[in-house]
Amino acid sequence: MSLPESSITQFYNCLVLKDHKLVSDYLYVQNGKIIDPANMFWEEKRIPDVRIDCKGGIVSPGYIDVQINGAFGYDFSNDTDIIEEAVDNISKGLLLQGCTAYCPTTVSSRPEVYHKVISHLGPRQGSVENGASVLGAHIEGPFISPQKKGAHELATLRTAKHGLADFEECYGLDNLRKYAAYVTMAPEVEGVTAAIPDLIKETGVAISSGHSNATTAKAQEAFKQGANMITHLFNAMHPFHQRDPGIIGLLGDNGPRPFYGIICDGIHVHPNSVMIAYYAHPTGACLVTDAMSAQSLPEGYYKLGEMDVDVHGGHVYIKGTNTIAGSIATLAECVRNFIDFTGASKVEALENATLHPAQMLGISDTKGTLAHGADADILILDNDLYVQRVFIAGVEATNDNVKFNKKL
């Protein structure tokens, strides 16, 4: 439904997620933003133009996925010749799932791939025409540990012994400046930790520690240098040990601690491990899918970057191995799983897919919140947190007005 630009929409008969609580309240939207209704009532003497009955449901900010490699048959690292088509279709498909903003993720690749692709993964405003908002690329690798490469191609990995010059040669610093949200690197790889302050200063990107064999001491050093996130906690990192818990040990620090992505598909991380992380640092959790091209498609063989992967029984493995290679979960499934795994409240689970990722990226004034002035990216959920309706920039997204293709 198309509305005049200045029309006001009221959401009613709902529990609204705000101030870390679910409260019985109304929500008002105008010109794609959440508004304070006081001005409407007392100064403009207006009433809402449109009223939306939420039927007793939960009103939440739209979900934010900061790590997704692909979906619907498309892969951000492999489909370099049709990258605009990939972004367009993935953005629209994710929107209909309730993911209203995301970071398209590339796996470790050769420099020519980055120079070809990154400029197509930069920030883009979400709408029913564009699909979910693109928040900028998440560039995962290739400055990662060969011992913890996971599904990344060994031949693409490299060090940063020449500091910023290596990042310039690999990505292009201007590409990072304009198009990237954050980069995953291993702190112990030569030159990486020392380069973090300059890389942040020169480009403004956020840094995440991951695919790493780092000790806790090295991980702490990287955090102090500016690496404010951990990529897919527990996966592809130094395993927890009582005398050196590696990157995982950052969750046990007394002072400030990083945000951490965690994949709650029931495959990547045991439910008990999810609970340990949640109890250690509940306000740092960011639910991610780490989904790949087979998400929402039948079982079979697919690509993750240049790697062939086998998708069967809900699992994704590098073909011919038992190495996990991403997931096929949706973020909505991960939210529900988080409650099942931890017993957390609905508020905590929802904030792990909304507020926390926005805070990690420094955009929580406009995303991941229903505060006045925020973008009107809104979900109506039932009591079991199944998505009932999706709104982006205040406009409802439906199968009728959001059309996309799957690449089979």
Side-chain angles (χ1 to χ4, degrees):
M1 177 171 58
S2 178
L3 298 171
E5 189 172 288
S6 62
S7 66
I8 295 174
T9 299
Q10 178 198 62
F11 293 77
Y12 72 98
N13 188 16
C14 52
L15 294 173
V16 180
L17 177 60
K18 64 179 185 179
D19 299 325
H20 314 296
K21 297 185 293 289
L22 288 173
V23 297
S24 180
D25 203 352
Y26 303 99
L27 191 73
Y28 294 87
V29 171
Q30 184 180 35
N31 298 332
K33 297 286 186 179
I34 310 294
I35 64 165
D36 183 344
N39 182 67
M40 175 188 74
F41 285 128
W42 305 115
E43 296 186 21
E44 297 182 11
K45 310 296 184 183
R46 291 181 60 178
I47 61 173
D49 301 282
V50 177
R51 300 183 75 233
I52 294 176
D53 184 356
C54 301
K55 302 183 186 303
I58 293 169
V59 171
S60 166
Y63 294 151
I64 301 171
D65 193 349
V66 296
Q67 182 166 8
I68 178 167
N69 306 287
F72 313 110
Y74 294 98
D75 179 280
F76 294 119
S77 302
N78 185 258
D79 288 317
T80 57
D81 291 330
I82 54 168
I83 189 63
E84 285 290 343
E85 177 185 330
V87 172
D88 186 58
N89 285 290
I90 290 173
S91 298
K92 292 174 180 177
L94 290 179
L95 177 60
L96 292 175
Q97 293 176 351
C99 177
T100 58
Y102 73 106
C103 292
T105 300
T106 57
V107 296
S108 294
S109 303
R110 293 168 177 80
E112 56 267 26
V113 172
Y114 293 121
H115 287 273
K116 186 174 183 178
V117 167
I118 293 176
S119 63
H120 298 280
L121 305 181
R124 184 171 79 167
Q125 184 64 43
S127 65
V128 292
E129 294 80 17
N130 290 340
S133 295
V134 179
L135 302 175
H138 165 208
I139 305 173
E140 189 181 12
F143 299 91
I144 60 174
S145 166
Q147 289 76 39
K148 297 297 177 182
K149 64 182 179 59
H152 292 235
E153 189 177 2
L154 181 62
T156 65
L157 306 189
R158 56 189 296 165
T159 69
K161 61 183 178 182
H162 302 297
L164 283 182
D166 285 310
F167 296 103
E168 169 66 37
E169 192 273 332
C170 183
Y171 309 131
L173 294 182
D174 203 45
N175 281 334
L176 295 184
R177 198 174 290 117
K178 293 178 179 177
Y179 309 117
Y182 73 106
V183 179
T184 290
M185 301 185 291
E188 78 280 11
V189 167
E190 183 181 6
V192 162
T193 295
I196 288 173
D198 287 340
L199 192 59
I200 294 172
K201 180 180 178 181
E202 289 295 323
T203 67
V205 295
I207 305 297
S208 184
S209 295
H211 282 276
S212 169
N213 212 24
T215 63
T216 298
K218 192 65 178 178
Q220 288 172 323
E221 182 185 354
F223 177 60
K224 290 174 182 176
Q225 295 283 61
N228 72 329
M229 187 181 177
I230 301 170
T231 296
H232 48 49
L233 185 73
F234 297 115
N235 297 112
M237 62 183 56
H238 185 299
F240 185 92
H241 188 277
Q242 69 272 21
R243 287 188 291 277
D244 190 346
I247 290 178
I248 300 166
L250 293 179
L251 271 63
D253 276 349
N254 286 326
R257 290 169 289 177
F259 292 96
Y260 59 94
I262 192 160
I263 308 168
C264 285
D265 62 350
I267 296 169
H268 278 75
V269 183
H270 191 282
N272 289 8
S273 297
V274 176
M275 183 174 282
I276 288 170
Y278 159 66
Y279 276 105
H281 187 20
T283 58
C286 300
L287 299 181
V288 299
T289 62
D290 198 25
M292 45 77 67
S293 61
Q295 196 244 56
S296 299
L297 293 183
E299 295 183 344
Y301 297 103
Y302 294 89
K303 285 283 191 180
L304 178 62
E306 295 298 321
M307 310 289 280
D308 293 309
V309 298
D310 182 359
V311 180
H312 283 93
H315 294 70
V316 184
Y317 296 112
I318 296 176
K319 188 176 179 181
T321 77
N322 61 356
T323 300
I324 295 177
S327 86
I328 54 172
T330 67
L331 201 50
E333 291 168 344
C334 291
V335 170
R336 295 192 296 272
N337 286 344
F338 186 81
I339 292 177
D340 291 341
F341 295 170
T342 66
S345 69
K346 292 171 185 173
V347 168
E348 289 169 309
L350 290 170
E351 289 189 340
N352 290 345
T354 57
L355 179 62
H356 298 168
Q359 289 173 332
M360 187 275 288
L361 294 175
I363 56 172
S364 58
D365 55 337
T366 57
K367 298 291 186 186
T369 178
L370 297 177
H372 299 155
D375 293 341
D377 300 341
I378 298 164
L379 304 183
I380 301 177
L381 308 159
D382 68 15
N383 196 51
D384 296 317
L385 302 188
Y386 284 86
V387 177
Q388 304 300 300
R389 299 174 73 174
V390 180
F391 297 79
I392 188 161
V395 179
E396 185 167 14
T398 69
N399 289 318
D400 293 326
N401 65 2
V402 179
K403 301 292 185 182
F404 73 102
N405 298 313
K406 297 180 180 181
K407 184 164 74 77
L408 302 173

